[in-house]
Amino acid sequence: MRRFSARRLTAAVALSTLVTVTGTACSTGSGSAAADDGTYTVWDPYPQFDKTSAWAKLLDQCGTEAGVKIKRTSFDTSDLANKALLAAQQDNSADVLVVDNPVVPTLAEAGVLTTTGENELDTSAVDANLLAAGQSGSKTYGTPIGANTLALYYNKDVLKKTGVDISSVKDWQSLTAALEKVKKAGHKGITFSAIGTEEGSFQFLPWFWGAGAKLTTLDSAEATAALSLWQGWLQKGYAPNSVINNTQTTSWQEFASGDYAFAENGTWQLANAEKAGFDYGVLPLPAARGGNAAAPTGGEFVTVPVQGDTGRYAVAKKLVSCLTSTDNLHTTATALSYVAPTGAVQAKQADKNPALEPWIESVKAAKGRTSDDLGTKYPTISEQLWKAVQAALSGALTPKDALAKAQSAVK
């Protein structure tokens, strides 16, 4: 049995306050991970899915195939990491833990999770950029069950009225030119979320990374260019001042009004887009000089926590392998509104639903927030980044000064 450091676990509890940016319902309950003979426990962040859902039925199916019963407990995403850390202290961890990808390094650093080398999970088919979100150092902890990310929704009616050809939008310069044309024609340009929380960082990162900036150097010229882009849009009226307080939900509501040409938002809004009442399209977020910018990945990893009884690992491996098989990943990705983490399943998704093609492109260019071996450093960096965005967009500081202050605070 691996020994846990009480100090590391306590610190990890403090760090596990990373906020989910896609949102879930309240927990349907809690419970001990302790299981009766023949029963294996699964903890997940999907309280919105009851026992009749495709996800719950898949869990039961995988249990049946492994010859065991499944006891499933769902928690709110923000609650799950703390529950997992506390359970580890008591040697009472779930057999399988499905957890938001930015939290994986926190749990790994605390010694809560086994590595794929230890549990012999095969991750060879998973896209490397998605797998990176669950890596710390040279080790991998679990495998992604799916991913969501950000892209640009656009209102085809507004673009048609204002004479903007969407095929011309290839980089920052052409996007800004399109926004200028839209505004001159009397329409609204672009809406996004720049709120002072993880949501604000999440939405800023594609522009930050798209400029070539790195999270280890918040005050670089590239980072300043990205923040100056957003600030310039507000100053010219291409984006509303409301973005400073917008969540991704309120930003979507602005776009759904039908007045805006563009909105930065996520895969999870696809169902709402179909109900918006106007013709829309989706474009991967452009990088500064063209091509697709790396947007941050959302989505969960399926992991195997450390157990005092190592004999439980064999069945846990069977359960994870079942949940992440090619056939079942397609079921799961559809049920959770995710893009699958493997090329083979992504191709199946695109065949069944061509509307997912720009999202698959975006996911292929996406990047984990804790990638680049940031691990548990990310929450501190993110907080300073969203503070810099707030300071610049409110006019309190120039982009350069706001980012210099952020970098100083991180150090």
Side-chain angles (χ1 to χ4, degrees), residues 270-333:
L270 274 173
N272 289 328
E274 295 295 334
K275 301 173 186 176
F278 53 81
D279 200 6
Y280 75 93
V282 178
L283 182 74
L285 288 159
R289 294 176 181 82
N292 297 344
T297 58
E300 289 77 40
F301 266 61
V302 189
T303 67
V304 178
V306 172
Q307 301 288 344
D309 178 4
T310 58
R312 301 185 71 82
Y313 292 145
V315 171
K317 177 189 173 183
K318 288 181 181 179
L319 294 174
V320 176
S321 297
C322 175
L323 291 172
T324 57
S325 69
T326 297
D327 288 342
N328 290 337
L329 272 178
H330 188 265
T331 299
T332 302

Side-chain angles (χ1 to χ4, degrees), residues 43-381:
W43 286 3
D44 68 42
Y46 310 131
Q48 69 271 37
F49 297 125
D50 64 19
K51 63 182 180 181
T52 66
S53 66
W55 167 248
K57 289 178 180 177
L58 177 59
L59 287 176
D60 289 338
Q61 174 192 322
C62 288
T64 299
E65 291 178 10
V68 299
K69 293 181 180 179
I70 298 297
K71 180 182 178 183
R72 175 196 174 216
T73 305
S74 295
F75 299 92
D76 181 80
T77 302
S78 58
D79 225 15
L80 182 55
N82 285 340
K83 297 289 187 186
L85 288 160
L86 293 172
Q89 286 180 309
Q90 300 163 358
D91 189 21
N92 196 27
S93 293
D95 293 292
V96 175
L97 177 67
V98 185
V99 66
D100 197 20
N101 75 68
V103 182
V104 173
T106 299
L107 298 179
E109 192 169 298
V112 174
L113 304 176
T114 62
T115 69
T116 53
E118 292 168 334
N119 56 46
E120 299 180 337
L121 285 175
D122 181 8
T123 59
S124 59
V126 178
D127 288 352
N129 65 317
L130 301 182
L131 192 63
Q135 294 173 330
S136 183
S138 59
K139 297 178 180 178
T140 303
Y141 298 85
T143 185
I145 201 165
N148 56 30
T149 194
L150 298 165
L152 273 183
Y153 287 88
Y154 58 90
N155 186 322
K156 292 183 178 181
D157 296 337
V158 171
L159 295 189
K160 184 176 180 180
K161 290 175 184 176
T162 56
V164 172
D165 179 1
I166 192 61
S167 66
S168 70
V169 178
K170 298 179 182 297
D171 52 23
W172 289 4
Q173 183 178 358
S174 55
L175 175 58
T176 301
L179 295 176
E180 180 181 11
K181 201 168 184 179
V182 167
K183 184 175 183 293
K184 282 184 176 178
H187 292 271
K188 296 179 180 179
I190 186 169
T191 180
F192 48 87
S193 169
I195 194 171
T197 68
E198 176 63 17
E199 286 191 64
S201 292
F202 189 77
Q203 290 239 320
F204 182 59
L205 279 173
W207 312 97
F208 182 88
W209 284 332
K214 296 181 179 179
L215 286 171
T216 50
T217 313
L218 296 180
D219 58 349
S220 67
E222 292 83 2
T224 302
L227 190 48
S228 297
L229 178 75
W230 270 20
Q231 184 196 55
W233 286 350
L234 262 69
Q235 289 175 341
K236 294 173 182 176
Y238 301 162
N241 288 327
S242 58
V243 299
I244 296 173
N245 297 311
N246 267 350
T247 64
Q248 292 181 115
T249 299
T250 56
S251 172
W252 178 261
Q253 289 167 350
E254 288 181 336
F255 180 66
S257 70
D259 296 329
Y260 285 85
F262 296 95
E264 178 185 355
N265 225 296
T267 326
W268 53 91
Q269 299 290 7
L270 274 173
N272 289 328
E274 295 295 334
K275 301 173 186 176
F278 53 81
D279 200 6
Y280 75 93
V282 178
L283 182 74
L285 288 159
R289 294 176 181 82
N292 297 344
T297 58
E300 289 77 40
F301 266 61
V302 189
T303 67
V304 178
V306 172
Q307 301 288 344
D309 178 4
T310 58
R312 301 185 71 82
Y313 292 145
V315 171
K317 177 189 173 183
K318 288 181 181 179
L319 294 174
V320 176
S321 297
C322 175
L323 291 172
T324 57
S325 69
T326 297
D327 288 342
N328 290 337
L329 272 178
H330 188 265
T331 299
T332 302
T334 302
L336 302 178
S337 298
Y338 281 156
V339 171
T342 68
V345 183
Q346 289 167 4
K348 283 188 175 184
Q349 289 183 291
D351 284 343
K352 287 199 170 185
N353 184 4
L356 286 175
E357 289 180 5
W359 292 106
I360 291 171
E361 280 188 56
S362 295
V363 163
K364 284 185 178 297
K367 185 175 180 177
R369 284 164 277 173
T370 58
S371 296
D372 298 330
D373 215 19
L374 291 177
T376 54
K377 298 174 186 175
Y378 175 75
T380 301
I381 294 170

Side-chain angles (χ1 to χ4, degrees), residues 15-55:
L15 283 168
S16 69
T17 53
L18 275 165
V19 179
T20 180
V21 296
T22 55
T24 57
C26 295
S27 174
T28 56
S30 62
S32 170
D36 297 325
D37 288 343
T39 300
Y40 278 69
T41 55
V42 177
W43 286 3
D44 68 42
Y46 310 131
Q48 69 271 37
F49 297 125
D50 64 19
K51 63 182 180 181
T52 66
S53 66
W55 167 248

